[in-house]
Amino acid sequence: MELLHQFSSGLFIIQSIIFLALLFLLGKFAWKPILKSIDERETSIIDALNQAKLAKQEMAQLKEDNERILREARAERDGILKEARDMKDKIVNQAKDSAKVEGEKMIEAARQSIQTEKNAAMADIKTQIGTLSVSIAENILKEKLDNDGAQNALVENILNKSNLN
């Protein structure tokens, strides 16, 4: 406490001059570079924040673009799948129709072939029956016409019948 009572005005003036000189020297050589580096630091921080905002906006834009591209790809995929299903159905229906037409043609050809075979078989049977009938009639006539009297009677009978007709 005694120190406060021993105030010396000369010492105060010298210390004030030294303090002012120190302030001048600091202002001249230290404060400008310090303030300049603080300003540069502030500017770089602001730039970094702006770049971060821009990067965030770009990321949001990229995300939106990716979602849009995915939606478009899904829509295109769905369209291609629908077109493929339609094409498959069309091909299957065409194949069914073609198979039906071919089947009907084959059935008709088989019917015609069966009818032709049936007609040929009937003609063959008629021929065989005719040949067999002639053979049987020949054998019967040979047995009945072994003698001359029977032959004469048969001829007269046929002539009488043909005159009547």
Side-chain angles (χ1 to χ4, degrees):
M1 295 268 185
E2 279 183 39
L3 291 175
L4 287 178
H5 293 309
Q6 295 177 359
F7 180 74
S8 163
S9 60
L11 183 63
F12 177 73
I13 292 175
I14 289 177
Q15 285 179 346
S16 295
I17 291 173
I18 292 173
F19 181 71
L20 289 175
L22 183 63
L23 278 179
F24 175 76
L25 287 174
L26 283 175
K28 181 88 174 164
F29 297 107
W31 289 71
K32 284 184 182 178
I34 290 172
L35 288 177
K36 184 179 176 184
S37 78
I38 289 174
D39 286 342
E40 287 174 358
R41 177 79 173 148
E42 183 181 0
T43 303
S44 69
I45 289 172
I46 290 172
D47 287 343
L49 288 173
N50 288 338
Q51 288 177 355
K53 285 179 185 178
L54 286 175
K56 186 176 180 182
Q57 289 174 350
E58 287 177 11
M59 289 298 290
Q61 183 65 36
L62 287 173
K63 185 177 178 183
E64 288 177 19
D65 289 345
N66 285 341
E67 289 174 1
R68 179 185 50 80
I69 289 169
L70 282 172
R71 282 192 307 270
E72 290 173 0
R74 285 183 185 124
E76 186 175 343
R77 179 201 65 198
D78 292 343
I80 289 170
L81 287 174
K82 182 184 181 301
E83 184 178 324
R85 277 189 226 107
D86 292 345
M87 192 177 275
K88 176 200 69 147
D89 291 341
K90 182 180 177 183
I91 289 170
V92 167
N93 288 336
Q94 285 177 347
K96 283 180 183 179
D97 292 344
S98 177
K100 185 177 180 182
V101 168
E102 286 298 318
E104 289 173 358
K105 284 180 183 178
M106 289 174 68
I107 289 171
E108 185 59 32
R111 283 184 184 146
Q112 289 178 357
S113 176
I114 289 170
Q115 187 63 37
T116 302
E117 291 292 324
K118 180 181 171 185
N119 291 340
M122 291 298 287
D124 187 40
I125 288 173
K126 285 179 183 179
T127 303
Q128 288 180 5
I129 290 174
T131 304
L132 186 59
S133 296
V134 169
S135 177
I136 290 172
E138 186 179 303
N139 285 334
I140 292 173
L141 284 176
K142 280 184 184 177
E143 284 182 23
K144 286 193 172 188
L145 298 178
D146 276 344
N147 59 29
D148 287 334
Q151 287 179 7
N152 288 333
L154 181 63
V155 171
E156 285 180 24
N157 187 14
I158 291 175
L159 288 175
N160 288 334
K161 283 184 184 179
S162 50
N163 285 337
L164 296 174
N165 288 337

